[in-house]
């Protein structure tokens, strides 16, 4: 479990003990106990929805400053000054084929985080992702609204089930995981540890799932993008597939290169 959560819990318990002692011995108002509890609950809720805090467990939210390459028989460190990563959640879905067509045309590798239940009937799309050199990650099996309320054991089962669905097609071990909705908690921390997966967050959330205008979505991403960004997109969204050619064209014009995770 991440030390941030452990240390915060220890600090909270010590603070609560101090306040309770003040109430008992020094006549502090009992309301101080309630305020401490509410403040800590607020912290835990915010930490759950802010994957970038790395509060319950660590996630990769930005591309590393340095990457290791192997050239001419030697390991080399290369700076990622103008590199970004395109990531797509919730597939395989209706727009996945169109997204793959665009990526193939532009010779770009991306990362797809798949929902296990969506794989059945779309196995050829998963195989195509693998064959064309894209990274494939786990995005839970059901992606249900109740996912974050499940026990660590139930979460683990979902992750294992999705890993198996992907690995049965690609014959390659799944190593990456993106939490549904980007929500984290102690139970999910245990499930990630149990499965040995590496959690991937993001630094730029496109909000394409609620976008109504192609031009506004494209403008939003291009206005916010910066070097080392991990961009969150969804290959189930028609608006995403529609703007993808122009997005890639403009990013290339700005001399960005593209990385899969």
């Amino acid at each position: 479990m991440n030390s941030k959560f452990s240390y915060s819990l220890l600090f909270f318990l010590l603070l609560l003990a101090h306040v309770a002692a003040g109430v008992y011995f020094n006549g502090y108002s009992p309301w101080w106990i309630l305020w401490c509890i509410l403040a800590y609950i607020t912290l835990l809720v915010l930490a759950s929805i802010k994957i970038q805090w790395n509060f319950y467990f660590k996630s990769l939210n930005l591309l590393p400053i340095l990457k290791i390459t192997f050239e001419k028989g030697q390991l080399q460190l290369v700076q990622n000054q103008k590199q970004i990563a395109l990531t797509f959640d919730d597939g395989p879905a209706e727009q996945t084929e169109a997204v793959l067509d665009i990526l193939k045309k532009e010779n770009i590798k991306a990362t797809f985080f798949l929902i296990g239940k969506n794989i059945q009937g779309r196995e050829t799309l998963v195989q195509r992702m693998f064959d064309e050199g894209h990274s494939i990650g786990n995005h839970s099996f059901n992606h249900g609204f109740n996912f974050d309320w499940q026990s660590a054991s139930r979460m683990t089962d979902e992750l294992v089930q999705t890993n198996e669905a992907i690995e049965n097609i690609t014959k390659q071990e799944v190593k990456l995981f993106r939490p549904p909705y980007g929500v984290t908690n102690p139970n999910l921390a245990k499930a990630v540890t149990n499965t040995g997966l590496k959690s991937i967050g993001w630094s730029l959330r496109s909000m394409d799932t609620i976008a109504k205008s192609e031009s506004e979505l494209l403008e939003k991403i291009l206005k916010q993008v910066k070097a080392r960004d991990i961009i969150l997109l969804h290959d189930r969204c028609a608006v995403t597939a529609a703007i993808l050619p122009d997005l890639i064209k403009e990013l290339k014009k700005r001399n960005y290169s593209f990385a899969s995770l």
Side-chain angles (χ1 to χ4, degrees), residues 6 37 40 44 57 99 108 139 157 163 165 190 205 228:
S6 301
I37 294 173
Y40 189 61
L44 296 182
F57 54 86
V99 168
I108 287 174
H139 198 41
D157 289 343
N163 280 354
K190 294 177 183 177
R205 189 171 193 169
R228 300 172 52 217

Side-chain angles (χ1 to χ4, degrees), residues 57-59 113-117 119 136-144 146-148 150-168 172-200:
F57 54 86
K58 290 183 178 180
S59 300
F113 292 95
L114 308 186
I115 297 175
K117 69 178 183 180
I119 292 174
I136 301 176
N138 187 322
H139 198 41
S140 81
F141 192 82
N142 292 304
H143 202 296
N146 66 333
F147 178 82
D148 299 299
Q150 296 182 121
S151 66
S153 176
R154 291 289 298 275
M155 288 180 174
T156 300
D157 289 343
E158 280 212 34
L159 300 192
V160 169
Q161 194 175 3
T162 302
N163 280 354
E164 290 176 348
I166 297 171
E167 291 168 2
N168 286 340
Q172 182 169 301
E173 180 184 6
V174 176
K175 298 180 179 179
L176 306 179
F177 167 68
R178 174 169 281 159
Y181 313 107
V183 174
T184 62
N185 59 43
N187 284 347
L188 186 55
K190 294 177 183 177
V192 170
T193 299
N194 291 342
T195 53
L197 292 167
K198 179 179 181 180
S199 179
I200 305 296

Side-chain angles (χ1 to χ4, degrees), residues 92-104 112 124-125 128-129 132 235 241:
E94 293 80 5
Q95 301 298 322
T96 303
E97 186 173 10
V99 168
L100 288 171
D101 288 343
I102 295 165
L103 295 174
K104 183 177 181 179
F112 291 84
T124 56
L125 287 176
R128 180 181 173 186
M129 291 175 192
E132 294 180 359
D235 51 318

Side-chain angles (χ1 to χ4, degrees), residues 47-261:
S48 292
I49 62 178
K50 297 286 187 179
I51 193 171
Q52 293 80 11
W53 286 12
N54 290 332
F55 190 78
Y56 296 105
F57 54 86
K58 290 183 178 180
S59 300
L60 178 68
N61 303 302
L62 275 173
L63 292 176
I65 296 175
L66 296 174
K67 66 177 180 178
I68 299 176
T69 63
F70 188 78
E71 295 181 8
K72 299 180 180 179
Q74 293 184 338
L75 290 175
Q76 298 182 359
L77 293 177
V78 181
Q79 286 190 322
N80 287 337
Q81 293 181 337
K82 291 286 288 184
Q83 196 169 48
I84 58 173
L86 299 179
T87 67
F88 297 89
D89 285 9
D90 294 359
E94 293 80 5
Q95 301 298 322
T96 303
E97 186 173 10
V99 168
L100 288 171
D101 288 343
I102 295 165
L103 295 174
K104 183 177 181 179
K105 180 179 179 181
E106 298 291 342
N107 192 29
I108 287 174
K109 309 305 179 193
T111 304
F112 291 84
F113 292 95
L114 308 186
I115 297 175
K117 69 178 183 180
N118 290 351
I119 292 174
Q120 186 173 5
R122 295 189 174 107
E123 291 86 354
T124 56
L125 287 176
V126 180
Q127 186 65 57
R128 180 181 173 186
M129 291 175 192
F130 179 75
D131 291 342
E132 294 180 359
H134 303 292
S135 297
I136 301 176
N138 187 322
H139 198 41
S140 81
F141 192 82
N142 292 304
H143 202 296
F145 287 106
N146 66 333
F147 178 82
D148 299 299
W149 302 102
Q150 296 182 121
S151 66
S153 176
R154 291 289 298 275
M155 288 180 174
T156 300
D157 289 343
E158 280 212 34
L159 300 192
V160 169
Q161 194 175 3
T162 302
N163 280 354
E164 290 176 348
I166 297 171
E167 291 168 2
N168 286 340
I169 299 169
T170 66
K171 312 304 179 187
Q172 182 169 301
E173 180 184 6
V174 176
K175 298 180 179 179
L176 306 179
F177 167 68
R178 174 169 281 159
Y181 313 107
V183 174
T184 62
N185 59 43
N187 284 347
L188 186 55
K190 294 177 183 177
V192 170
T193 299
N194 291 342
T195 53
L197 292 167
K198 179 179 181 180
S199 179
I200 305 296
W202 60 82
S203 55
L204 198 167
R205 189 171 193 169
S206 67
M207 303 302 290
D208 54 347
T209 55
I210 60 173
K212 304 298 183 183
S213 165
E214 295 176 11
S215 60
E216 289 179 4
L217 176 60
L218 180 61
E219 182 181 0
K220 169 182 163 54
I221 297 172
L222 292 175
K223 184 178 181 179
Q224 296 181 7
V225 69
K226 60 186 182 300
R228 300 172 52 217
D229 266 339
I230 297 175
I231 303 175
L232 171 59
L233 301 160
H234 294 79
D235 51 318
R236 64 179 170 86
C237 297
V239 66
T240 303
I243 71 159
L244 192 56
D246 289 336
L247 175 62
I248 292 172
K249 179 180 179 181
E250 182 59 33
L251 290 173
K252 284 183 174 180
K253 187 183 297 184
R254 298 183 187 183
N255 295 319
Y256 284 107
S257 60
F258 299 81
S260 61
L261 301 174

